[in-house]
Amino acid sequence: MKLEIDQQRLNSEIETLAAISDAEPPAVTRIVFTPTDLKARAWVISRCEEAGLAVRQDAIGNIFARWNGADPTAPAVGTGSHIDAIPNAGKYDGVVGVLGGLEAIRALQQSGFRPKNSIELLVFATEEPTRFGIGCLGSRLLSGTLSADAAAQLKDNNGESVNEVRQKAGFRGSLQDVKLPSGYYKAFVELHIEQGPLLERSQTSLGIVKSIAAPASLRIAVEGAGGHAGGVLMPDRKDALCAAAELILAAENAARSSGAADTVATVGVCDVFPGAVNSIPSRVKMTVDLRDTDLARRNGAMKAIENAIVTISKKRGVAIQQELINADAPADCAPEVRTALADSCRDHGFAFLEMVSRAYHDSLFISRIAPTGMLFIPCRNGYSHRPDEYAAPHDITRGALVLAEALAKLAGSAQ
Ligand code: GLV
Ligand code: MN
Ligand code: MN
């Protein structure tokens, strides 16, 4: 089987999708269920249909584009990623796995290969936590990791629930039906940029993921007392932002002092009320994103943050409420998927690193229901979630080629 990845088409499709954005280029912003996201989804669907794939969407907006195999009732082999993008993001996060996955399928079709098991491209809905506060909503529902009732109640910043937002966007089915039947996928492989610097530093163009780190996140509300910036004397203050600042440093310290570089903590949202120059902040809403490759160590850092919440609240006389948004276990990638990827690399003489994914991905949740693996390609300086995120066309092409061969191996040949 001789596979040709059309690098020019793939690259030009990545550029076309990047132009469907709510940010000034080169930045990309595509928040789930906005008109821009819906336009991008329609464009991806049109590409899939042009490739002869049978497309369906579920009630949360996951898109399935299937190339039927010779045995269409057998479990499918899945690939894919996401096209939603955080504010001020780049062109490649998620997109490489969606358009690279589509290109892998087209290359297999053009080679004359006929799969035994169907091969399905999956575009996960709402991988990014921007709108509803929790990442991977689509794959959590597909895998049954989050119940339909819990998902329906999540709200966006305007107070609109998942149900309201998705229904307005045209997704009216029941969330109860999103969970996949057991054995739906024989295997799943996600192609993604590394979002870290290790491949580039070691001058290796491919990474085969061994495991995916465990993410957790907290929503925190600090309630102090507002007042006049001139009139209220320092001993009398209950400044919510000063308490939040201490808490941010406590989260940083919990990660830095865990004893491992793999523990990382980030406060990426901090909303200050009332947000006036001469007014003491009375209320702060913030989030903590905490991750580690080791579950016990991640939980230890979480405990340290929770202890700091109690101490800071007492010391400053402010009320601090916390809500655990998610605390997920890590995942090991499946040996059969890793082997399929490694065999393809070896056949071509491509060097690869075996590595950990410190970012989370929908594969973390699909791994709960199917043998799952991930293939990484380098991104310049390890940059991601920023406008200058960049992956070289030849690396994307190489990733799509190895992905295509792994899909063929996992799906088997009908001939
Ligand atoms: C995914 O976007 C992540 O934050 O790891
Ligand atoms: Mn991302
Ligand atoms: Mn991603």
Short mmCIF file of all heavy atoms in Angstrom, two decimals, residues 41-73:
data_model
loop_
_atom_site.label_atom_id
_atom_site.label_comp_id
_atom_site.label_asym_id
_atom_site.label_seq_id
_atom_site.Cartn_x
_atom_site.Cartn_y
_atom_site.Cartn_z
N ARG A 41 -17.79 24.32 11.74
CA ARG A 41 -18.29 22.94 11.75
C ARG A 41 -18.92 22.59 10.39
O ARG A 41 -18.69 21.52 9.85
CB ARG A 41 -19.32 22.76 12.86
CG ARG A 41 -18.78 23.01 14.25
CD ARG A 41 -19.92 23.21 15.23
NE ARG A 41 -20.77 22.06 15.22
CZ ARG A 41 -20.61 21.00 15.99
NH1 ARG A 41 -19.65 20.98 16.89
NH2 ARG A 41 -21.40 19.96 15.90
N ALA A 42 -19.71 23.53 9.85
CA ALA A 42 -20.37 23.27 8.57
C ALA A 42 -19.32 23.08 7.48
O ALA A 42 -19.46 22.21 6.60
CB ALA A 42 -21.30 24.43 8.21
N TRP A 43 -18.25 23.87 7.55
CA TRP A 43 -17.20 23.74 6.54
C TRP A 43 -16.51 22.36 6.65
O TRP A 43 -16.26 21.69 5.65
CB TRP A 43 -16.18 24.88 6.71
CG TRP A 43 -15.08 24.78 5.70
CD1 TRP A 43 -15.10 25.19 4.40
CD2 TRP A 43 -13.79 24.20 5.93
NE1 TRP A 43 -13.91 24.89 3.80
CE2 TRP A 43 -13.09 24.29 4.70
CE3 TRP A 43 -13.17 23.60 7.02
CZ2 TRP A 43 -11.78 23.80 4.56
CZ3 TRP A 43 -11.88 23.12 6.90
CH2 TRP A 43 -11.19 23.24 5.66
N VAL A 44 -16.22 21.95 7.89
CA VAL A 44 -15.57 20.63 8.08
C VAL A 44 -16.49 19.51 7.57
O VAL A 44 -16.06 18.58 6.89
CB VAL A 44 -15.18 20.40 9.56
CG1 VAL A 44 -14.76 18.96 9.79
CG2 VAL A 44 -14.06 21.36 9.98
N ILE A 45 -17.79 19.65 7.88
CA ILE A 45 -18.74 18.63 7.43
C ILE A 45 -18.75 18.55 5.89
O ILE A 45 -18.75 17.47 5.31
CB ILE A 45 -20.15 18.91 8.00
CG1 ILE A 45 -20.17 18.62 9.50
CG2 ILE A 45 -21.23 18.10 7.28
CD1 ILE A 45 -21.44 19.04 10.22
N SER A 46 -18.70 19.72 5.25
CA SER A 46 -18.71 19.71 3.78
C SER A 46 -17.47 19.01 3.23
O SER A 46 -17.53 18.29 2.24
CB SER A 46 -18.83 21.13 3.22
OG SER A 46 -17.60 21.82 3.39
N ARG A 47 -16.32 19.19 3.91
CA ARG A 47 -15.09 18.50 3.48
C ARG A 47 -15.25 16.98 3.63
O ARG A 47 -14.81 16.20 2.80
CB ARG A 47 -13.87 18.92 4.33
CG ARG A 47 -13.46 20.38 4.29
CD ARG A 47 -12.89 20.83 2.98
NE ARG A 47 -13.94 21.15 2.04
CZ ARG A 47 -13.86 21.13 0.72
NH1 ARG A 47 -12.75 20.81 0.14
NH2 ARG A 47 -14.87 21.42 -0.04
N CYS A 48 -15.87 16.58 4.74
CA CYS A 48 -16.05 15.13 5.00
C CYS A 48 -17.00 14.53 3.98
O CYS A 48 -16.77 13.43 3.46
CB CYS A 48 -16.61 14.92 6.41
SG CYS A 48 -15.46 15.35 7.71
N GLU A 49 -18.07 15.27 3.68
CA GLU A 49 -19.03 14.74 2.71
C GLU A 49 -18.40 14.64 1.33
O GLU A 49 -18.64 13.68 0.59
CB GLU A 49 -20.31 15.61 2.70
CG GLU A 49 -21.12 15.32 3.97
CD GLU A 49 -22.33 16.21 4.16
OE1 GLU A 49 -22.39 17.29 3.52
OE2 GLU A 49 -23.20 15.84 4.96
N GLU A 50 -17.58 15.62 1.02
CA GLU A 50 -16.91 15.56 -0.29
C GLU A 50 -16.02 14.33 -0.39
O GLU A 50 -15.81 13.79 -1.48
CB GLU A 50 -16.09 16.83 -0.49
CG GLU A 50 -15.78 17.05 -1.95
CD GLU A 50 -14.92 18.28 -2.14
OE1 GLU A 50 -13.69 18.18 -1.98
OE2 GLU A 50 -15.50 19.33 -2.43
N ALA A 51 -15.51 13.88 0.77
CA ALA A 51 -14.66 12.68 0.76
C ALA A 51 -15.51 11.41 0.80
O ALA A 51 -14.97 10.30 0.96
CB ALA A 51 -13.71 12.72 1.96
N GLY A 52 -16.83 11.56 0.71
CA GLY A 52 -17.70 10.39 0.65
C GLY A 52 -17.98 9.78 2.02
O GLY A 52 -18.46 8.65 2.12
N LEU A 53 -17.72 10.53 3.10
CA LEU A 53 -17.96 9.99 4.44
C LEU A 53 -19.42 10.22 4.84
O LEU A 53 -20.01 11.23 4.46
CB LEU A 53 -17.02 10.64 5.46
CG LEU A 53 -15.53 10.61 5.11
CD1 LEU A 53 -14.70 11.25 6.22
CD2 LEU A 53 -15.05 9.17 4.86
N ALA A 54 -19.97 9.30 5.59
CA ALA A 54 -21.35 9.44 6.08
C ALA A 54 -21.30 10.20 7.39
O ALA A 54 -20.68 9.75 8.36
CB ALA A 54 -21.97 8.05 6.28
N VAL A 55 -21.95 11.38 7.41
CA VAL A 55 -21.82 12.28 8.56
C VAL A 55 -23.08 12.25 9.42
O VAL A 55 -24.20 12.26 8.91
CB VAL A 55 -21.56 13.73 8.08
CG1 VAL A 55 -21.51 14.70 9.26
CG2 VAL A 55 -20.25 13.81 7.28
N ARG A 56 -22.87 12.19 10.74
CA ARG A 56 -23.97 12.42 11.68
C ARG A 56 -23.46 13.27 12.82
O ARG A 56 -22.25 13.35 13.06
CB ARG A 56 -24.55 11.08 12.19
CG ARG A 56 -23.66 10.38 13.20
CD ARG A 56 -24.28 9.06 13.68
NE ARG A 56 -23.31 8.32 14.49
CZ ARG A 56 -23.22 8.41 15.81
NH1 ARG A 56 -24.03 9.20 16.48
NH2 ARG A 56 -22.30 7.72 16.47
N GLN A 57 -24.39 13.93 13.52
CA GLN A 57 -24.01 14.71 14.70
C GLN A 57 -24.90 14.28 15.85
O GLN A 57 -26.06 13.93 15.65
CB GLN A 57 -24.22 16.20 14.44
CG GLN A 57 -23.35 16.73 13.32
CD GLN A 57 -23.53 18.23 13.13
OE1 GLN A 57 -23.02 19.02 13.89
NE2 GLN A 57 -24.28 18.61 12.12
N ASP A 58 -24.35 14.32 17.07
CA ASP A 58 -25.17 13.95 18.22
C ASP A 58 -25.67 15.20 18.94
O ASP A 58 -25.43 16.34 18.49
CB ASP A 58 -24.43 12.97 19.14
CG ASP A 58 -23.22 13.60 19.82
OD1 ASP A 58 -23.11 14.84 19.81
OD2 ASP A 58 -22.38 12.85 20.36
N ALA A 59 -26.32 14.99 20.07
CA ALA A 59 -27.03 16.10 20.73
C ALA A 59 -26.11 17.13 21.37
O ALA A 59 -26.54 18.25 21.64
CB ALA A 59 -27.97 15.52 21.79
N ILE A 60 -24.84 16.79 21.60
CA ILE A 60 -23.92 17.79 22.16
C ILE A 60 -23.08 18.41 21.04
O ILE A 60 -22.29 19.34 21.27
CB ILE A 60 -23.03 17.19 23.29
CG1 ILE A 60 -22.28 18.27 24.07
CG2 ILE A 60 -22.06 16.16 22.74
CD1 ILE A 60 -23.15 19.21 24.85
N GLY A 61 -23.24 17.88 19.81
CA GLY A 61 -22.53 18.47 18.68
C GLY A 61 -21.27 17.73 18.27
O GLY A 61 -20.48 18.25 17.47
N ASN A 62 -21.04 16.52 18.82
CA ASN A 62 -19.94 15.72 18.29
C ASN A 62 -20.28 15.36 16.84
O ASN A 62 -21.43 15.00 16.54
CB ASN A 62 -19.77 14.42 19.08
CG ASN A 62 -19.30 14.65 20.50
OD1 ASN A 62 -18.32 15.34 20.73
ND2 ASN A 62 -19.99 14.05 21.46
N ILE A 63 -19.28 15.45 15.95
CA ILE A 63 -19.50 15.12 14.54
C ILE A 63 -18.81 13.79 14.24
O ILE A 63 -17.61 13.64 14.53
CB ILE A 63 -18.90 16.20 13.61
CG1 ILE A 63 -19.50 17.58 13.91
CG2 ILE A 63 -19.10 15.84 12.14
CD1 ILE A 63 -18.73 18.74 13.24
N PHE A 64 -19.53 12.86 13.65
CA PHE A 64 -18.98 11.56 13.27
C PHE A 64 -19.00 11.48 11.75
O PHE A 64 -20.06 11.67 11.15
CB PHE A 64 -19.83 10.42 13.81
CG PHE A 64 -20.03 10.44 15.31
CD1 PHE A 64 -20.97 11.29 15.89
CD2 PHE A 64 -19.29 9.61 16.14
CE1 PHE A 64 -21.16 11.31 17.27
CE2 PHE A 64 -19.48 9.63 17.51
CZ PHE A 64 -20.40 10.48 18.08
N ALA A 65 -17.87 11.19 11.14
CA ALA A 65 -17.81 11.09 9.68
C ALA A 65 -17.20 9.73 9.35
O ALA A 65 -16.02 9.50 9.60
CB ALA A 65 -16.97 12.22 9.11
N ARG A 66 -18.03 8.85 8.83
CA ARG A 66 -17.63 7.45 8.76
C ARG A 66 -17.35 6.97 7.33
O ARG A 66 -18.11 7.24 6.41
CB ARG A 66 -18.75 6.59 9.36
CG ARG A 66 -18.40 5.11 9.44
CD ARG A 66 -19.48 4.35 10.18
NE ARG A 66 -19.30 4.45 11.62
CZ ARG A 66 -19.31 3.40 12.45
NH1 ARG A 66 -19.47 2.18 11.97
NH2 ARG A 66 -19.17 3.56 13.74
N TRP A 67 -16.25 6.28 7.21
CA TRP A 67 -15.94 5.54 5.98
C TRP A 67 -16.30 4.09 6.28
O TRP A 67 -15.59 3.44 7.05
CB TRP A 67 -14.45 5.69 5.67
CG TRP A 67 -13.99 4.98 4.43
CD1 TRP A 67 -14.75 4.55 3.38
CD2 TRP A 67 -12.65 4.63 4.11
NE1 TRP A 67 -13.97 3.96 2.43
CE2 TRP A 67 -12.67 4.00 2.85
CE3 TRP A 67 -11.42 4.80 4.75
CZ2 TRP A 67 -11.51 3.51 2.24
CZ3 TRP A 67 -10.27 4.32 4.15
CH2 TRP A 67 -10.32 3.69 2.90
N ASN A 68 -17.39 3.65 5.68
CA ASN A 68 -17.85 2.30 6.03
C ASN A 68 -16.88 1.24 5.57
O ASN A 68 -16.37 1.27 4.45
CB ASN A 68 -19.23 2.03 5.40
CG ASN A 68 -20.34 2.58 6.28
OD1 ASN A 68 -20.31 2.40 7.51
ND2 ASN A 68 -21.27 3.28 5.68
N GLY A 69 -16.62 0.29 6.47
CA GLY A 69 -15.75 -0.83 6.12
C GLY A 69 -16.55 -1.96 5.49
O GLY A 69 -17.77 -1.88 5.37
N ALA A 70 -15.83 -3.02 5.13
CA ALA A 70 -16.49 -4.17 4.51
C ALA A 70 -17.46 -4.81 5.50
O ALA A 70 -18.45 -5.42 5.11
CB ALA A 70 -15.44 -5.18 4.07
N ASP A 71 -17.16 -4.68 6.79
CA ASP A 71 -18.08 -5.19 7.82
C ASP A 71 -18.60 -3.99 8.61
O ASP A 71 -18.09 -3.65 9.68
CB ASP A 71 -17.32 -6.17 8.73
CG ASP A 71 -18.24 -6.78 9.77
OD1 ASP A 71 -19.44 -6.41 9.79
OD2 ASP A 71 -17.77 -7.62 10.56
N PRO A 72 -19.65 -3.34 8.10
CA PRO A 72 -20.08 -2.07 8.73
C PRO A 72 -20.65 -2.24 10.12
O PRO A 72 -20.80 -1.27 10.85
CB PRO A 72 -21.14 -1.52 7.76
CG PRO A 72 -21.42 -2.57 6.77
CD PRO A 72 -20.44 -3.70 6.92
N THR A 73 -20.98 -3.47 10.51
CA THR A 73 -21.54 -3.66 11.85
C THR A 73 -20.44 -3.87 12.89
O THR A 73 -20.70 -3.85 14.09
CB THR A 73 -22.50 -4.88 11.89
OG1 THR A 73 -21.74 -6.02 11.47
CG2 THR A 73 -23.70 -4.67 10.98
#
